Amino acid sequence: MQLSSEEEDYNLSLSKFESMLKTNKVLFFDSEEFEDIVLHYLDMGKLSLAKKALKLALEQHPKSTGLKFVQVEMLIYDDKLDQAEKLLNELYAIEPTNEEIFIQKASIYSKRDNHDMAVEMLKTALEYTDDLADVYNLLGMEYLFMDNLELAKENFIRCLEEDIEDQGALYNIVYCFEFLDQHEDAVIFLNSYIDKNPYSEIAWHQLGRILYGLKRYEEALRAFDYATLIDEEFVGAYMEKAKSLERLKRYDEAIEGYKKTLELDDATSYALLRIGKCYERKGDSATALKYYNRTVHEDPQLDKAWIAITDLYLNAINYRKALYFVNKALEIDNENFRYWKRYATINRALNFFEEAEMGYRKAVEYGDDELDTWIYWVDVLQFLGEFENCVDALLQAKEFYPEAPEILYRLAGLYLSFDEEEVGLELLEGALERDAEMITLFTDYYPTACTNKRVRKLIAKYTKTDL
């Protein structure tokens, strides 16, 4: 690719400067060359080289205001805000209408967390600048710092109106729409932007993302198609396209989409995992397992892949292998209640009840409040003879499900077993009122309680049957 004359001059200046440093010869550069050199090293994070270049620049051009603005930027970068402010005040006396003064003052206020004053400085800069896009972008960032997403969005939109190719502003606008839950508005905005700039693969990709989040998968697929037509190496768009196809249950096409991302980039564990999922949903468990194994080989720390293998063996009723793989997932993330629930389910199927009890307990501890989890946990506790712990667990469950007859019947049976007859009868009546047909749960689990005359009478009242 042929470089422009400006790029050639820029590269020549850098080479000339670095050669000078190696030979200790002092060469002359004009002030603009020095500005480019210093800013290059500053952007690269090479602060010591930037400082050397600036020192030499100011020695050769002590009155250059351009270099003094670069010096201000360097001081701000170095957190020497008071010195930067002093120098800006000197520059203001010379060039009071230079927008760079107000932009850099805004940067100082921003670093001091005084974002209101930063905004005021940037609004003043708007009066003097020819680069409105840059100032609107900076205003947008300040409003982001202030958590004023509406004004941030408004300024990023103004930035994009001034510079339609500003991808950073486009991303920030979409971020604001998403953060504000204005997804439909984001779709309208992006369609309007695409009307003006139809070959923006970024806009098509972002539109697809929003539509995918709205579960409008056909429309999302169309957007991702356009993104990949514009940029045939857009890995992210191919990935999202494949996800849309998967949602539409077009698994063969989804597999091809994920494979395309592997052609364009190094193998990613996510793509391999999704290919495996597609094969599993097609009913091809053998090929699914191959891809899951490739996934964990590529990324042994991806717990979702270990769980995918777990579920494959769980569905095949191969509990011993399922147990091995769920333990692999728990080694990576032992605070995931879904993994603990699987662990409990597998151990219960293997009649390892103590391990199953621990699994259900951990699942609840880490946030699982599903009714069936509570019930399975209680039933395992009861099987182990831990009746007091049963009651504690049921009382916790009752806070989430105060009307659930499954809980009330069990609590009633346990309290009656503990000779707390009044409490037990009250709970039993509550359960019968809610679902009398579930009485077999009580009679099967607590046959001894059914010998109580008051219990029999209460059951007969609601079921019209005599035990």
Side-chain angles (χ1 to χ4, degrees):
M1 183 176 68
Q2 191 171 2
L3 296 174
S4 68
S5 59
E6 284 185 9
E7 288 173 315
E8 286 180 355
D9 291 345
Y10 175 69
N11 289 336
L12 188 63
S13 297
L14 282 172
S15 299
K16 181 180 166 186
F17 180 76
E18 289 178 3
S19 175
M20 182 190 73
L21 291 178
K22 290 175 185 175
T23 59
N24 289 322
K25 290 180 181 178
V26 177
L27 302 176
F28 180 82
F29 298 82
D30 66 37
S31 61
E32 288 186 3
E33 280 183 295
F34 266 129
E35 285 179 41
D36 289 338
I37 291 167
V38 176
L39 292 173
H40 167 78
Y41 288 126
L42 204 56
D43 290 340
M44 296 289 288
K46 296 180 178 179
L47 194 58
S48 61
L49 282 173
K51 285 179 178 178
K52 282 181 184 178
L54 182 61
K55 183 175 181 295
L56 186 61
L58 289 170
E59 286 171 0
Q60 291 189 6
H61 305 280
K63 294 184 179 179
S64 167
T65 53
L67 284 171
K68 286 182 179 179
F69 278 116
V70 172
Q71 186 180 10
V72 168
E73 196 165 335
M74 176 85 74
L75 289 167
I76 293 172
Y77 184 92
D78 222 10
D79 279 329
K80 295 177 179 177
L81 304 183
D82 291 339
Q83 288 176 247
E85 194 168 34
K86 182 181 177 184
L87 185 52
L88 279 172
N89 288 335
E90 292 171 9
L91 288 165
Y92 178 75
I94 302 166
E95 298 185 16
T97 60
N98 189 321
E99 76 273 14
E100 193 64 26
I101 291 169
F102 303 100
I103 290 170
Q104 295 300 342
K105 280 196 172 188
S107 182
I108 291 169
Y109 281 119
S110 186
K111 278 212 164 197
R112 289 171 173 163
D113 289 327
N114 189 343
H115 301 293
D116 287 317
M117 280 303 298
V119 165
E120 291 306 311
M121 290 295 107
L122 290 170
K123 284 180 178 178
T124 304
L126 281 174
E127 298 172 17
Y128 303 114
T129 188
D130 293 325
D131 189 359
L132 291 169
D134 183 50
V135 180
Y136 281 129
N137 189 57
L138 291 170
L139 273 165
M141 293 306 298
E142 289 304 317
Y143 283 119
L144 277 185
F145 292 138
M146 297 162 73
D147 292 326
N148 191 330
L149 276 292
E150 281 292 353
L151 282 176
K153 181 182 67 178
E154 183 180 311
N155 280 278
F156 287 130
I157 289 172
R158 286 175 179 168
C159 170
L160 206 59
E161 287 169 349
E162 295 293 330
D163 180 5
I164 199 167
E165 299 293 341
D166 192 321
Q167 294 182 1
L170 182 59
Y171 278 119
N172 282 326
I173 291 163
V174 174
Y175 168 81
C176 291
F177 275 121
E178 289 188 294
F179 191 90
L180 293 164
D181 289 326
Q182 297 172 348
H183 304 291
E184 294 291 351
D185 290 340
V187 171
I188 294 167
F189 171 81
L190 285 166
N191 277 319
S192 172
Y193 176 80
I194 286 167
D195 286 342
K196 300 170 193 167
N197 191 11
Y199 296 105
S200 170
E201 72 276 19
I202 301 300
W204 282 112
H205 178 247
Q206 291 301 303
L207 176 60
R209 280 185 56 257
I210 299 292
L211 290 166
Y212 182 92
L214 292 168
K215 300 183 179 180
R216 290 156 61 178
Y217 302 121
E218 289 283 4
E219 295 172 75
L221 181 59
R222 175 177 170 273
F224 295 132
D225 263 333
Y226 277 114
T228 56
L229 283 169
I230 296 163
D231 182 353
E232 293 179 355
E233 297 186 356
F234 195 161
V235 177
Y238 281 110
M239 187 73 79
E240 300 286 354
K241 179 180 174 180
K243 284 170 61 180
S244 300
L245 287 163
E246 190 179 346
R247 287 287 187 177
L248 292 166
K249 299 183 180 179
R250 291 159 60 176
Y251 298 121
D252 288 323
E253 294 171 80
I255 288 167
E256 289 308 308
Y258 288 125
K259 285 182 177 178
K260 180 69 175 178
T261 69
L262 299 179
E263 291 173 18
L264 292 170
D265 203 355
D266 293 334
T268 63
S269 54
Y270 179 80
L272 292 169
L273 177 63
R274 296 318 311 171
I275 293 171
K277 286 283 185 185
C278 288
Y279 276 114
E280 186 176 354
R281 286 173 181 143
K282 276 163 55 73
D284 188 349
S285 297
T287 307
L289 184 57
K290 285 180 185 177
Y291 275 95
Y292 292 151
N293 284 329
R294 280 186 64 185
T295 306
V296 295
H297 177 77
E298 187 70 30
D299 184 1
Q301 292 302 304
L302 184 63
D303 48 297
K304 289 182 175 65
W306 294 112
I307 281 296
I309 300 173
T310 300
D311 289 343
L312 208 59
Y313 283 117
L314 194 54
N315 292 333
I317 319 179
N318 189 337
Y319 297 119
R320 291 194 177 275
K321 282 196 173 181
L323 181 59
Y324 173 79
F325 289 107
V326 79
N327 276 320
K328 285 281 192 182
L330 284 167
E331 285 173 14
I332 299 164
D333 182 0
N334 67 355
E335 295 186 3
N336 189 312
F337 70 80
R338 294 180 180 86
Y339 299 175
W340 281 114
K341 187 169 183 176
R342 284 178 175 84
Y343 174 87
T345 301
I346 294 163
N347 277 293
R348 184 165 57 90
L350 290 166
N351 294 326
F352 299 158
F353 293 106
E354 289 184 359
E355 289 81 359
E357 185 279 323
M358 181 183 75
Y360 289 125
R361 176 163 36 87
K362 289 282 190 181
V364 168
E365 181 182 329
Y366 289 120
D368 188 349
D369 57 9
E370 292 294 320
L371 178 59
D372 67 333
T373 306
W374 291 103
I375 297 304
Y376 286 136
W377 182 24
V378 168
D379 288 349
V380 171
L381 282 168
Q382 189 158 312
F383 179 85
L384 293 170
E386 298 184 25
F387 300 112
E388 290 185 4
N389 288 334
C390 272
V391 172
D392 289 341
L394 284 165
L395 289 173
Q396 289 179 63
K398 192 170 178 289
E399 292 179 15
F400 290 92
Y401 302 98
E403 305 291 322
E406 300 95 325
I407 293 170
L408 298 176
Y409 277 122
R410 284 172 171 83
L411 267 175
L414 286 165
Y415 276 113
L416 288 163
S417 300
F418 295 154
D419 292 328
E420 295 191 39
E421 191 170 301
E422 296 306 322
V423 178
L425 287 168
E426 183 182 341
L427 288 161
L428 179 58
E429 185 162 21
L432 286 162
E433 285 174 349
R434 286 161 181 79
D435 192 339
E437 291 182 7
M438 288 182 69
I439 188 59
T440 53
L441 188 156
F442 179 82
T443 56
D444 290 347
Y445 274 50
Y446 309 101
T448 304
C450 294
T451 62
N452 183 306
K453 289 182 181 179
R454 294 177 69 189
V455 168
R456 293 166 68 90
K457 183 179 178 182
L458 188 59
I459 292 172
K461 174 184 172 184
Y462 284 92
T463 65
K464 308 303 180 186
T465 58
D466 188 14
L467 295 178

